[in-house]
């Protein structure tokens, strides 16, 4: 399996809804899950049934593997690539109890660590040292700005205002995808779909022009001696998984994998929303499902499964990618 990194530069604001918080249009996420990315890919090629089923089959059989979208920034001509901070349980015995002030300081540092959402891939390689470093130095760069725009619903008898949240990335920042391919034909297939997605946009409110992107650079192959520090780190994390592993996709475990999941530290996230059909201007609400959130940690990787969502109100089956993609994480 050869892995490539695709850095996306967004030309317009993006609206990545967060249905885990109730699906309010003002509530948005910085990143996008691999299941939603896969759904967008399927939607754009749904007019070609043969191509659609070839793509679904390739992902289901892990001839194509996809990560969720994560933030990056460019600093001094170097790509700094961020991954989710691992979901772990901090041991209370590590908190020194020499004095009340020391305990307060340790607890405050612990809370700062828990608030960290993303860390650089190269820092994940030495996560123990990262945890022990000065908490005041644990920060993320500014990838962009959250905004709220006022819009008007003209469909009813009265015009009613509503608000939509969006995220505007800085010129030096964006999101990246890690994609692995069994052979070059699968890579060509994915890159063709990704090019179309950039033109039509990804995420919500695409009719308003949101979510359009282009590649910020040529696809970067992840090799052992990469041109950037974080590229090399991602290669090592993908290929060296002797101990605990961390999920970097939205994974839906099979019933047989649930006992393995329970041995780790994880969060479950709800997915809801609407689906559209190519050539149609209307959307239909689909059934909700749940995924293991990126950053969840397990003793061994979970394969996951492809979801097929059907229903009386849906004009066709809806596919969502619940296959897992895991990287090594160093901590005890």
């Amino acid at each position: 399996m050869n892995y490539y990194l695709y850095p996306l530069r967004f030309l317009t604001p993006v609206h990545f809804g967060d249905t885990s918080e109730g699906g309010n249009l003002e509530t948005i996420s910085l990143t996008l899950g691999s299941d939603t990315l896969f759904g967008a890919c399927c939607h754009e090629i749904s007019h070609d049934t043969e191509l659609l089923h070839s793509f679904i089959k390739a992902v289901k059989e892990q001839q194509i593997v996809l990560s969720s979208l994560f933030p990056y920034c460019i600093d001094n001509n170097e790509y700094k690539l961020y991954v989710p901070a691992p979901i772990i349980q901090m041991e209370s015995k590590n908190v020194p109890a020499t004095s009340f002030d020391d305990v307060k300081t340790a607890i405050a540092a612990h809370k700062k660590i828990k608030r960290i959402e993303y860390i650089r891939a190269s820092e994940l390689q030495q996560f123990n040292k990262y945890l022990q470093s000065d908490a005041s130095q644990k920060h993320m760069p500014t990838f962009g700005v959250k905004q709220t725009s006022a819009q008007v619903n003209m469909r009813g008898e009265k015009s009613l205002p509503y608000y939509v949240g969006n995220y505007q990335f800085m010129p030096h920042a964006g999101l990246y995808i890690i994609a692995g391919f069994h052979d070059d034909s699968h890579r060509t297939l994915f890159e063709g779909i990704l090019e179309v997605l950039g033109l039509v946009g990804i995420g919500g409110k695409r009719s308003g022009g949101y979510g359009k992107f282009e590649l910020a650079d040529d696809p970067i192959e992840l090799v052992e001696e990469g041109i950037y520090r974080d590229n090399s780190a991602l290669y090592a994390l993908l290929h060296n998984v002797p101990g605990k592993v961390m999920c970097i996709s939205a994974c839906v475990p099979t019933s047989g994998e649930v006992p393995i999941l329970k041995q780790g530290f994880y969060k479950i996230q709800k997915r809801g929303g609407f689906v559209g059909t190519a050539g149609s201007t209307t959307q239909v609400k689909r059934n909700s499902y749940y995924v293991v959130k990126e950053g969840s940690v397990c003793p061994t990787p979970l394969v996951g499964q492809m979801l097929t969502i059907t229903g009386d109100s849906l004009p066709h089956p809806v596919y969502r990618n619940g296959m897992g993609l895991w990287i090594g994480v160093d901590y005890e």
Side-chain angles (χ1 to χ4, degrees):
M1 182 73 70
N2 295 320
Y3 294 93
Y4 291 82
L5 187 144
Y6 297 84
L8 310 184
R9 178 192 296 120
F10 286 91
L11 309 175
T12 61
V14 299
H15 175 84
F16 299 149
D18 189 349
T19 56
S20 64
E21 299 295 331
N24 190 303
L25 283 174
E26 295 181 56
T27 305
I28 57 171
S29 173
L30 167 65
T31 59
L32 191 72
S34 57
D35 55 328
T36 306
L37 169 67
F38 174 80
C41 291
C42 290
H43 180 268
E44 292 310 317
I45 60 175
S46 59
H47 62 279
D48 188 330
T49 303
E50 184 177 351
L51 181 64
L52 173 64
H53 287 289
S54 296
F55 179 64
I56 294 171
K57 182 175 183 289
V59 175
K60 184 177 181 179
E61 296 180 354
Q62 294 190 298
Q63 295 174 329
I64 298 176
V65 295
L66 301 173
S67 76
S68 296
L69 279 68
F70 302 121
Y72 76 84
C73 67
I74 302 174
D75 185 17
N76 292 326
N77 295 320
E78 179 181 7
Y79 277 92
K80 294 184 176 180
L81 307 169
Y82 288 78
V83 295
I87 298 170
I88 63 174
Q89 181 176 344
M90 302 295 292
E91 297 291 342
S92 58
K93 65 182 181 181
N94 293 333
V95 178
T98 54
S99 70
F100 182 66
D101 288 339
D102 288 341
V103 171
K104 287 198 302 182
T105 301
I107 292 175
H110 183 194
K111 288 182 177 179
K112 286 184 178 180
I113 291 173
K114 289 184 68 175
R115 286 197 294 267
I116 297 170
E117 295 185 86
Y118 300 94
I119 65 173
R120 285 187 66 178
S122 53
E123 292 172 332
L124 184 63
Q125 284 186 304
Q126 298 179 330
F127 193 57
N128 276 330
K129 291 183 179 179
Y130 179 81
L131 292 178
Q132 295 167 8
S133 63
D134 185 358
S136 64
Q137 298 177 3
K138 297 177 173 69
H139 66 277
M140 285 197 304
T142 300
F143 299 113
V145 179
K146 286 186 177 182
Q147 306 172 133
T148 302
S149 61
Q151 300 189 18
V152 179
N153 184 355
M154 306 290 291
R155 295 180 180 178
E157 295 181 2
K158 294 183 179 180
S159 301
L160 299 175
Y162 65 98
Y163 298 92
V164 176
N166 64 77
Y167 196 91
Q168 178 69 66
F169 284 95
M170 299 293 188
H172 65 282
L175 300 175
Y176 72 91
I177 309 163
I178 297 174
F181 307 104
H182 182 263
D183 55 43
D184 286 342
S185 64
H186 292 107
R187 178 187 170 193
T188 301
L189 169 61
F190 174 72
E191 290 182 354
I193 299 172
L194 192 64
E195 183 177 1
V196 175
L197 281 180
L199 297 174
V200 300
I202 195 170
K205 309 304 287 186
R206 291 182 301 167
S207 59
Y210 286 4
K212 291 181 171 55
F213 64 84
E214 63 184 9
L215 286 181
D217 207 334
D218 291 334
I220 303 169
E221 185 174 7
L222 297 180
V223 294
E224 188 172 3
E225 297 295 333
I227 56 177
Y228 306 115
R229 190 175 78 180
D230 288 337
N231 290 7
S232 299
L234 283 172
Y235 174 89
L237 293 168
L238 284 161
H239 291 85
N240 300 325
V241 288
K244 294 181 176 66
V245 291
M246 184 183 79
C247 192
I248 57 170
S249 67
C251 181
V252 181
T254 64
S255 57
E257 292 174 325
V258 172
I260 301 175
L261 177 65
K262 291 182 176 180
Q263 297 176 35
F265 302 106
Y266 60 93
K267 290 183 179 179
I268 301 296
Q269 199 168 50
K270 182 181 179 180
R271 294 285 203 260
F274 296 80
V275 295
T277 303
S280 174
T281 59
T282 60
Q283 292 189 324
V284 177
K285 185 173 178 59
R286 58 164 170 77
N287 293 334
S288 300
Y289 61 95
Y290 293 84
V291 301
V292 175
K293 184 176 172 59
E294 300 89 342
S296 296
V297 175
C298 282
T300 57
L302 308 180
V303 175
Q305 60 182 306
M306 179 69 68
L307 295 179
T308 304
I309 303 172
T310 59
D312 295 337
S313 61
L314 295 176
H316 53 74
V318 174
Y319 300 96
R320 287 295 181 267
N321 175 21
M323 309 301 294
L325 180 57
W326 302 78
I327 58 176
V329 59
D330 172 31
Y331 81 90
E332 293 295 339

